[in-house]
PDB file of all heavy atoms in Angstrom:
ATOM      1  N   MET P  41      19.050  38.581 -39.876  1.00 50.00           N
ATOM      2  CA  MET P  41      18.684  39.887 -40.390  1.00 50.00           C
ATOM      3  C   MET P  41      19.758  40.948 -40.164  1.00 50.00           C
ATOM      4  O   MET P  41      20.000  41.781 -41.022  1.00 50.00           O
ATOM      5  CB  MET P  41      17.373  40.344 -39.768  1.00 50.00           C
ATOM      6  CG  MET P  41      16.162  39.707 -40.418  1.00 50.00           C
ATOM      7  SD  MET P  41      14.707  39.860 -39.413  1.00 50.00           S
ATOM      8  CE  MET P  41      14.900  41.500 -38.795  1.00 50.00           C
ATOM      9  N   GLU P  59      27.936  40.380 -60.760  1.00 83.00           N
ATOM     10  CA  GLU P  59      27.840  38.980 -60.391  1.00 83.00           C
ATOM     11  C   GLU P  59      28.896  38.089 -61.050  1.00 83.00           C
ATOM     12  O   GLU P  59      29.557  37.300 -60.395  1.00 83.00           O
ATOM     13  CB  GLU P  59      26.438  38.470 -60.748  1.00 83.00           C
ATOM     14  CG  GLU P  59      26.121  37.098 -60.231  1.00 83.00           C
ATOM     15  CD  GLU P  59      26.227  37.005 -58.732  1.00 83.00           C
ATOM     16  OE1 GLU P  59      25.692  37.906 -58.049  1.00 83.00           O
ATOM     17  OE2 GLU P  59      26.842  36.050 -58.225  1.00 83.00           O
ATOM     18  N   THR P  87      27.199  41.783 -54.594  1.00 83.00           N
ATOM     19  CA  THR P  87      27.056  41.847 -56.048  1.00 83.00           C
ATOM     20  C   THR P  87      25.760  42.475 -56.522  1.00 83.00           C
ATOM     21  O   THR P  87      24.747  42.451 -55.839  1.00 83.00           O
ATOM     22  CB  THR P  87      27.112  40.433 -56.667  1.00 83.00           C
ATOM     23  OG1 THR P  87      26.100  39.652 -56.068  1.00 83.00           O
ATOM     24  CG2 THR P  87      28.453  39.813 -56.475  1.00 83.00           C
ATOM     25  N   THR P  89      23.633  42.665 -60.608  1.00 77.00           N
ATOM     26  CA  THR P  89      23.652  41.833 -61.811  1.00 77.00           C
ATOM     27  C   THR P  89      24.745  42.249 -62.791  1.00 77.00           C
ATOM     28  O   THR P  89      25.421  41.409 -63.343  1.00 77.00           O
ATOM     29  CB  THR P  89      22.300  41.881 -62.532  1.00 77.00           C
ATOM     30  OG1 THR P  89      21.889  43.245 -62.588  1.00 77.00           O
ATOM     31  CG2 THR P  89      21.275  41.082 -61.781  1.00 77.00           C
ATOM     32  N   VAL P  92      25.799  48.461 -64.718  1.00 82.00           N
ATOM     33  CA  VAL P  92      24.820  49.524 -64.566  1.00 82.00           C
ATOM     34  C   VAL P  92      23.964  49.291 -63.324  1.00 82.00           C
ATOM     35  O   VAL P  92      23.585  50.232 -62.618  1.00 82.00           O
ATOM     36  CB  VAL P  92      23.930  49.603 -65.807  1.00 82.00           C
ATOM     37  CG1 VAL P  92      22.972  50.755 -65.675  1.00 82.00           C
ATOM     38  CG2 VAL P  92      24.784  49.784 -67.030  1.00 82.00           C
ATOM     39  N   ASN P  96      22.911  51.727 -60.235  1.00 84.00           N
ATOM     40  CA  ASN P  96      21.534  51.895 -59.778  1.00 84.00           C
ATOM     41  C   ASN P  96      21.391  51.576 -58.303  1.00 84.00           C
ATOM     42  O   ASN P  96      20.614  52.205 -57.596  1.00 84.00           O
ATOM     43  CB  ASN P  96      20.591  51.022 -60.595  1.00 84.00           C
ATOM     44  CG  ASN P  96      20.274  51.654 -61.933  1.00 84.00           C
ATOM     45  OD1 ASN P  96      20.480  52.851 -62.108  1.00 84.00           O
ATOM     46  ND2 ASN P  96      19.811  50.862 -62.871  1.00 84.00           N
ATOM     47  N   GLN P  97      22.144  50.556 -57.854  1.00 84.00           N
ATOM     48  CA  GLN P  97      22.066  50.217 -56.432  1.00 84.00           C
ATOM     49  C   GLN P  97      22.607  51.350 -55.581  1.00 84.00           C
ATOM     50  O   GLN P  97      22.097  51.614 -54.497  1.00 84.00           O
ATOM     51  CB  GLN P  97      22.835  48.924 -56.162  1.00 84.00           C
ATOM     52  CG  GLN P  97      22.231  47.743 -56.865  1.00 84.00           C
ATOM     53  CD  GLN P  97      21.978  46.581 -55.927  1.00 84.00           C
ATOM     54  OE1 GLN P  97      22.646  46.433 -54.918  1.00 84.00           O
ATOM     55  NE2 GLN P  97      20.992  45.777 -56.259  1.00 84.00           N
ATOM     56  N   LYS P  99      22.417  54.475 -56.394  1.00 84.00           N
ATOM     57  CA  LYS P  99      21.370  55.500 -56.402  1.00 84.00           C
ATOM     58  C   LYS P  99      20.205  55.095 -55.511  1.00 84.00           C
ATOM     59  O   LYS P  99      19.602  55.917 -54.837  1.00 84.00           O
ATOM     60  CB  LYS P  99      20.858  55.709 -57.832  1.00 84.00           C
ATOM     61  CG  LYS P  99      21.861  56.376 -58.740  1.00 84.00           C
ATOM     62  CD  LYS P  99      21.221  56.569 -60.104  1.00 84.00           C
ATOM     63  CE  LYS P  99      22.210  57.115 -61.106  1.00 84.00           C
ATOM     64  NZ  LYS P  99      21.643  57.099 -62.470  1.00 84.00           N
ATOM     65  N   HIS P 104      23.267  53.514 -47.528  1.00 83.00           N
ATOM     66  CA  HIS P 104      23.126  52.135 -47.034  1.00 83.00           C
ATOM     67  C   HIS P 104      23.766  51.114 -47.961  1.00 83.00           C
ATOM     68  O   HIS P 104      23.718  49.920 -47.692  1.00 83.00           O
ATOM     69  CB  HIS P 104      21.658  51.792 -46.833  1.00 83.00           C
ATOM     70  CG  HIS P 104      21.024  52.527 -45.702  1.00 83.00           C
ATOM     71  ND1 HIS P 104      21.507  52.457 -44.416  1.00 83.00           N
ATOM     72  CD2 HIS P 104      19.962  53.358 -45.658  1.00 83.00           C
ATOM     73  CE1 HIS P 104      20.764  53.215 -43.632  1.00 83.00           C
ATOM     74  NE2 HIS P 104      19.823  53.781 -44.358  1.00 83.00           N
ATOM     75  N   ARG P 190      18.983  49.754 -73.971  1.00 84.00           N
ATOM     76  CA  ARG P 190      18.357  50.313 -72.773  1.00 84.00           C
ATOM     77  C   ARG P 190      18.521  49.402 -71.573  1.00 84.00           C
ATOM     78  O   ARG P 190      18.174  49.758 -70.459  1.00 84.00           O
ATOM     79  CB  ARG P 190      16.859  50.536 -73.024  1.00 84.00           C
ATOM     80  CG  ARG P 190      16.586  51.640 -74.008  1.00 84.00           C
ATOM     81  CD  ARG P 190      15.155  51.594 -74.468  1.00 84.00           C
ATOM     82  NE  ARG P 190      14.858  50.333 -75.176  1.00 84.00           N
ATOM     83  CZ  ARG P 190      13.670  50.024 -75.633  1.00 84.00           C
ATOM     84  NH1 ARG P 190      12.665  50.843 -75.449  1.00 84.00           N
ATOM     85  NH2 ARG P 190      13.475  48.896 -76.275  1.00 84.00           N
ATOM     86  N   THR P 223      16.988  39.631 -83.913  1.00 86.00           N
ATOM     87  CA  THR P 223      16.236  40.100 -82.763  1.00 86.00           C
ATOM     88  C   THR P 223      17.148  40.900 -81.845  1.00 86.00           C
ATOM     89  O   THR P 223      18.369  40.754 -81.891  1.00 86.00           O
ATOM     90  CB  THR P 223      15.601  38.931 -81.979  1.00 86.00           C
ATOM     91  OG1 THR P 223      14.835  39.465 -80.901  1.00 86.00           O
ATOM     92  CG2 THR P 223      16.638  38.001 -81.404  1.00 86.00           C
ATOM     93  N   GLU P 239      21.538  30.115 -84.392  1.00 84.00           N
ATOM     94  CA  GLU P 239      20.376  30.851 -84.895  1.00 84.00           C
ATOM     95  C   GLU P 239      20.796  32.158 -85.559  1.00 84.00           C
ATOM     96  O   GLU P 239      20.185  32.606 -86.499  1.00 84.00           O
ATOM     97  CB  GLU P 239      19.410  31.150 -83.748  1.00 84.00           C
ATOM     98  CG  GLU P 239      18.596  29.967 -83.298  1.00 84.00           C
ATOM     99  CD  GLU P 239      17.611  29.510 -84.362  1.00 84.00           C
ATOM    100  OE1 GLU P 239      16.976  30.361 -84.999  1.00 84.00           O
ATOM    101  OE2 GLU P 239      17.485  28.284 -84.545  1.00 84.00           O
ATOM    102  N   SER P 249      36.110  37.647 -76.643  1.00 92.00           N
ATOM    103  CA  SER P 249      35.299  36.441 -76.437  1.00 92.00           C
ATOM    104  C   SER P 249      35.899  35.178 -77.059  1.00 92.00           C
ATOM    105  O   SER P 249      35.854  34.114 -76.445  1.00 92.00           O
ATOM    106  CB  SER P 249      33.885  36.655 -76.976  1.00 92.00           C
ATOM    107  OG  SER P 249      33.252  37.689 -76.271  1.00 92.00           O
ATOM    108  N   SER P 350      16.943  57.513 -78.140  1.00 85.00           N
ATOM    109  CA  SER P 350      15.685  57.681 -78.870  1.00 85.00           C
ATOM    110  C   SER P 350      15.939  57.624 -80.373  1.00 85.00           C
ATOM    111  O   SER P 350      15.082  57.164 -81.127  1.00 85.00           O
ATOM    112  CB  SER P 350      14.961  58.953 -78.443  1.00 85.00           C
ATOM    113  OG  SER P 350      15.753  60.061 -78.754  1.00 85.00           O
ATOM    114  N   LEU P 353      15.946  54.048 -81.052  1.00 86.00           N
ATOM    115  CA  LEU P 353      14.602  53.525 -80.850  1.00 86.00           C
ATOM    116  C   LEU P 353      13.699  53.861 -82.032  1.00 86.00           C
ATOM    117  O   LEU P 353      13.001  53.000 -82.564  1.00 86.00           O
ATOM    118  CB  LEU P 353      14.048  54.164 -79.574  1.00 86.00           C
ATOM    119  CG  LEU P 353      12.796  53.592 -78.958  1.00 86.00           C
ATOM    120  CD1 LEU P 353      13.002  52.124 -78.643  1.00 86.00           C
ATOM    121  CD2 LEU P 353      12.479  54.349 -77.675  1.00 86.00           C
ATOM    122  N   ARG P 357      12.636  50.458 -85.299  1.00 76.00           N
ATOM    123  CA  ARG P 357      11.357  49.749 -85.278  1.00 76.00           C
ATOM    124  C   ARG P 357      11.044  49.268 -86.682  1.00 76.00           C
ATOM    125  O   ARG P 357      11.157  50.014 -87.638  1.00 76.00           O
ATOM    126  CB  ARG P 357      10.250  50.670 -84.773  1.00 76.00           C
ATOM    127  CG  ARG P 357      10.402  50.916 -83.299  1.00 76.00           C
ATOM    128  CD  ARG P 357       9.338  51.835 -82.802  1.00 76.00           C
ATOM    129  NE  ARG P 357       9.433  53.132 -83.448  1.00 76.00           N
ATOM    130  CZ  ARG P 357       8.456  54.028 -83.423  1.00 76.00           C
ATOM    131  NH1 ARG P 357       7.334  53.741 -82.827  1.00 76.00           N
ATOM    132  NH2 ARG P 357       8.603  55.188 -83.997  1.00 76.00           N
TER     133      ARG P 357
ATOM    134  N   LEU M  44      11.558  61.294 -75.894  1.00 70.00           N
ATOM    135  CA  LEU M  44      10.782  60.540 -76.870  1.00 70.00           C
ATOM    136  C   LEU M  44       9.453  61.239 -77.125  1.00 70.00           C
ATOM    137  O   LEU M  44       8.833  61.756 -76.202  1.00 70.00           O
ATOM    138  CB  LEU M  44      10.534  59.128 -76.341  1.00 70.00           C
ATOM    139  CG  LEU M  44      11.806  58.279 -76.270  1.00 70.00           C
ATOM    140  CD1 LEU M  44      11.604  57.083 -75.378  1.00 70.00           C
ATOM    141  CD2 LEU M  44      12.215  57.843 -77.656  1.00 70.00           C
ATOM    142  N   GLU M  51       2.050  54.693 -79.257  1.00 87.00           N
ATOM    143  CA  GLU M  51       2.244  53.394 -79.899  1.00 87.00           C
ATOM    144  C   GLU M  51       2.503  52.311 -78.874  1.00 87.00           C
ATOM    145  O   GLU M  51       2.011  51.188 -78.987  1.00 87.00           O
ATOM    146  CB  GLU M  51       3.414  53.462 -80.887  1.00 87.00           C
ATOM    147  CG  GLU M  51       3.018  54.084 -82.209  1.00 87.00           C
ATOM    148  CD  GLU M  51       4.231  54.329 -83.099  1.00 87.00           C
ATOM    149  OE1 GLU M  51       5.205  53.547 -83.024  1.00 87.00           O
ATOM    150  OE2 GLU M  51       4.211  55.310 -83.854  1.00 87.00           O
ATOM    151  N   LYS M 114      15.586  28.576 -86.948  1.00 62.00           N
ATOM    152  CA  LYS M 114      16.123  28.325 -88.278  1.00 62.00           C
ATOM    153  C   LYS M 114      15.733  26.953 -88.816  1.00 62.00           C
ATOM    154  O   LYS M 114      15.360  26.804 -89.962  1.00 62.00           O
ATOM    155  CB  LYS M 114      17.645  28.415 -88.234  1.00 62.00           C
ATOM    156  CG  LYS M 114      18.193  29.509 -89.116  1.00 62.00           C
ATOM    157  CD  LYS M 114      19.701  29.511 -89.015  1.00 62.00           C
ATOM    158  CE  LYS M 114      20.269  30.758 -89.668  1.00 62.00           C
ATOM    159  NZ  LYS M 114      21.694  30.908 -89.473  1.00 62.00           N
ATOM    160  N   GLY M 208      11.797  41.067 -79.962  1.00 74.00           N
ATOM    161  CA  GLY M 208      12.644  41.241 -81.129  1.00 74.00           C
ATOM    162  C   GLY M 208      13.102  42.660 -81.338  1.00 74.00           C
ATOM    163  O   GLY M 208      13.665  42.977 -82.360  1.00 74.00           O
ATOM    164  N   GLN M 221      12.611  49.269 -68.593  1.00 81.00           N
ATOM    165  CA  GLN M 221      13.699  49.960 -69.265  1.00 81.00           C
ATOM    166  C   GLN M 221      14.025  51.286 -68.592  1.00 81.00           C
ATOM    167  O   GLN M 221      15.185  51.648 -68.444  1.00 81.00           O
ATOM    168  CB  GLN M 221      13.322  50.205 -70.733  1.00 81.00           C
ATOM    169  CG  GLN M 221      13.501  48.952 -71.574  1.00 81.00           C
ATOM    170  CD  GLN M 221      12.622  48.948 -72.785  1.00 81.00           C
ATOM    171  OE1 GLN M 221      11.742  49.780 -72.939  1.00 81.00           O
ATOM    172  NE2 GLN M 221      12.843  47.979 -73.667  1.00 81.00           N
ATOM    173  N   LYS M 224      15.782  50.189 -65.204  1.00 75.00           N
ATOM    174  CA  LYS M 224      16.952  49.325 -65.219  1.00 75.00           C
ATOM    175  C   LYS M 224      18.215  50.105 -65.563  1.00 75.00           C
ATOM    176  O   LYS M 224      19.231  49.995 -64.901  1.00 75.00           O
ATOM    177  CB  LYS M 224      16.724  48.202 -66.236  1.00 75.00           C
ATOM    178  CG  LYS M 224      17.952  47.430 -66.636  1.00 75.00           C
ATOM    179  CD  LYS M 224      18.146  46.217 -65.751  1.00 75.00           C
ATOM    180  CE  LYS M 224      19.561  45.701 -65.836  1.00 75.00           C
ATOM    181  NZ  LYS M 224      19.770  44.520 -66.565  1.00 75.00           N
ATOM    182  N   TYR M 225      18.174  50.882 -66.636  1.00 71.00           N
ATOM    183  CA  TYR M 225      19.427  51.486 -67.084  1.00 71.00           C
ATOM    184  C   TYR M 225      19.469  52.978 -66.814  1.00 71.00           C
ATOM    185  O   TYR M 225      20.417  53.513 -66.272  1.00 71.00           O
ATOM    186  CB  TYR M 225      19.593  51.228 -68.591  1.00 71.00           C
ATOM    187  CG  TYR M 225      21.013  51.065 -69.006  1.00 71.00           C
ATOM    188  CD1 TYR M 225      21.507  49.807 -69.329  1.00 71.00           C
ATOM    189  CD2 TYR M 225      21.869  52.136 -69.048  1.00 71.00           C
ATOM    190  CE1 TYR M 225      22.816  49.644 -69.695  1.00 71.00           C
ATOM    191  CE2 TYR M 225      23.185  51.974 -69.418  1.00 71.00           C
ATOM    192  CZ  TYR M 225      23.654  50.728 -69.739  1.00 71.00           C
ATOM    193  OH  TYR M 225      24.953  50.569 -70.099  1.00 71.00           O
ATOM    194  N   TYR M 365      15.655  51.829 -48.147  1.00 80.00           N
ATOM    195  CA  TYR M 365      17.050  52.246 -47.973  1.00 80.00           C
ATOM    196  C   TYR M 365      17.173  53.710 -47.591  1.00 80.00           C
ATOM    197  O   TYR M 365      18.224  54.165 -47.198  1.00 80.00           O
ATOM    198  CB  TYR M 365      17.858  51.943 -49.229  1.00 80.00           C
ATOM    199  CG  TYR M 365      18.224  50.491 -49.302  1.00 80.00           C
ATOM    200  CD1 TYR M 365      17.612  49.634 -50.202  1.00 80.00           C
ATOM    201  CD2 TYR M 365      19.162  49.964 -48.421  1.00 80.00           C
ATOM    202  CE1 TYR M 365      17.928  48.298 -50.241  1.00 80.00           C
ATOM    203  CE2 TYR M 365      19.488  48.624 -48.459  1.00 80.00           C
ATOM    204  CZ  TYR M 365      18.864  47.796 -49.371  1.00 80.00           C
ATOM    205  OH  TYR M 365      19.181  46.473 -49.390  1.00 80.00           O
ATOM    206  N   ARG M 366      16.093  54.467 -47.738  1.00 78.00           N
ATOM    207  CA  ARG M 366      16.167  55.849 -47.287  1.00 78.00           C
ATOM    208  C   ARG M 366      15.672  56.002 -45.862  1.00 78.00           C
ATOM    209  O   ARG M 366      15.666  57.075 -45.307  1.00 78.00           O
ATOM    210  CB  ARG M 366      15.392  56.758 -48.232  1.00 78.00           C
ATOM    211  CG  ARG M 366      16.303  57.110 -49.380  1.00 78.00           C
ATOM    212  CD  ARG M 366      15.620  57.513 -50.622  1.00 78.00           C
ATOM    213  NE  ARG M 366      16.564  57.323 -51.730  1.00 78.00           N
ATOM    214  CZ  ARG M 366      16.476  57.949 -52.876  1.00 78.00           C
ATOM    215  NH1 ARG M 366      15.504  58.800 -53.082  1.00 78.00           N
ATOM    216  NH2 ARG M 366      17.361  57.700 -53.821  1.00 78.00           N
ATOM    217  N   SER M 367      15.222  54.894 -45.256  1.00 78.00           N
ATOM    218  CA  SER M 367      14.789  54.957 -43.869  1.00 78.00           C
ATOM    219  C   SER M 367      15.845  54.275 -43.003  1.00 78.00           C
ATOM    220  O   SER M 367      16.854  53.786 -43.500  1.00 78.00           O
ATOM    221  CB  SER M 367      13.457  54.224 -43.709  1.00 78.00           C
ATOM    222  OG  SER M 367      13.661  52.845 -43.905  1.00 78.00           O
ATOM    223  N   SER M 373      19.178  43.685 -43.357  1.00 73.00           N
ATOM    224  CA  SER M 373      19.113  42.923 -44.604  1.00 73.00           C
ATOM    225  C   SER M 373      17.706  43.033 -45.174  1.00 73.00           C
ATOM    226  O   SER M 373      16.720  43.016 -44.442  1.00 73.00           O
ATOM    227  CB  SER M 373      19.457  41.473 -44.318  1.00 73.00           C
ATOM    228  OG  SER M 373      18.799  40.644 -45.217  1.00 73.00           O
ATOM    229  N   PHE M 455      21.864  40.111 -56.375  1.00 64.00           N
ATOM    230  CA  PHE M 455      21.768  38.652 -56.389  1.00 64.00           C
ATOM    231  C   PHE M 455      22.128  37.996 -55.077  1.00 64.00           C
ATOM    232  O   PHE M 455      21.754  36.865 -54.819  1.00 64.00           O
ATOM    233  CB  PHE M 455      22.672  38.083 -57.481  1.00 64.00           C
ATOM    234  CG  PHE M 455      22.027  38.058 -58.831  1.00 64.00           C
ATOM    235  CD1 PHE M 455      22.778  37.727 -59.948  1.00 64.00           C
ATOM    236  CD2 PHE M 455      20.694  38.350 -58.986  1.00 64.00           C
ATOM    237  CE1 PHE M 455      22.194  37.699 -61.206  1.00 64.00           C
ATOM    238  CE2 PHE M 455      20.095  38.319 -60.225  1.00 64.00           C
ATOM    239  CZ  PHE M 455      20.860  37.999 -61.336  1.00 64.00           C
ATOM    240  N   GLU M 456      22.918  38.698 -54.223  1.00 66.00           N
ATOM    241  CA  GLU M 456      23.451  37.953 -53.086  1.00 66.00           C
ATOM    242  C   GLU M 456      22.367  37.501 -52.121  1.00 66.00           C
ATOM    243  O   GLU M 456      22.580  36.613 -51.323  1.00 66.00           O
ATOM    244  CB  GLU M 456      24.536  38.755 -52.364  1.00 66.00           C
ATOM    245  CG  GLU M 456      24.021  39.896 -51.506  1.00 66.00           C
ATOM    246  CD  GLU M 456      24.260  41.245 -52.164  1.00 66.00           C
ATOM    247  OE1 GLU M 456      24.232  41.300 -53.408  1.00 66.00           O
ATOM    248  OE2 GLU M 456      24.469  42.232 -51.447  1.00 66.00           O
ATOM    249  N   LYS M 467      23.835  33.596 -63.335  1.00 76.00           N
ATOM    250  CA  LYS M 467      25.258  33.713 -63.030  1.00 76.00           C
ATOM    251  C   LYS M 467      26.111  32.933 -64.025  1.00 76.00           C
ATOM    252  O   LYS M 467      27.107  33.435 -64.537  1.00 76.00           O
ATOM    253  CB  LYS M 467      25.551  33.155 -61.636  1.00 76.00           C
ATOM    254  CG  LYS M 467      25.216  34.082 -60.501  1.00 76.00           C
ATOM    255  CD  LYS M 467      25.650  33.399 -59.226  1.00 76.00           C
ATOM    256  CE  LYS M 467      25.126  34.066 -57.990  1.00 76.00           C
ATOM    257  NZ  LYS M 467      25.479  33.318 -56.787  1.00 76.00           N
ATOM    258  N   TYR M 472      29.867  32.869 -69.534  1.00 71.00           N
ATOM    259  CA  TYR M 472      29.994  32.049 -70.757  1.00 71.00           C
ATOM    260  C   TYR M 472      29.608  30.584 -70.549  1.00 71.00           C
ATOM    261  O   TYR M 472      29.736  29.793 -71.455  1.00 71.00           O
ATOM    262  CB  TYR M 472      31.420  32.052 -71.323  1.00 71.00           C
ATOM    263  CG  TYR M 472      31.880  33.331 -71.980  1.00 71.00           C
ATOM    264  CD1 TYR M 472      32.405  34.353 -71.232  1.00 71.00           C
ATOM    265  CD2 TYR M 472      31.824  33.480 -73.356  1.00 71.00           C
ATOM    266  CE1 TYR M 472      32.861  35.515 -71.830  1.00 71.00           C
ATOM    267  CE2 TYR M 472      32.270  34.638 -73.963  1.00 71.00           C
ATOM    268  CZ  TYR M 472      32.794  35.663 -73.197  1.00 71.00           C
ATOM    269  OH  TYR M 472      33.249  36.803 -73.801  1.00 71.00           O
TER     270      TYR M 472
END
Side-chain angles (χ1 to χ4, degrees):
Chain P
M41 280 163 40
E59 189 59 47
T87 57
T89 46
V92 183
N96 280 342
Q97 296 232 333
K99 290 182 185 171
H104 291 303
R190 291 166 298 177
T223 182
E239 284 293 318
S249 297
S350 63
L353 193 57
R357 288 179 298 164
Chain M
L44 291 163
E51 280 172 32
K114 242 181 191 173
Q221 281 155 350
K224 165 92 198 254
Y225 213 106
Y365 282 107
R366 276 157 201 203
S367 68
S373 150
F455 275 172
E456 75 255 32
K467 281 183 192 176
Y472 288 85

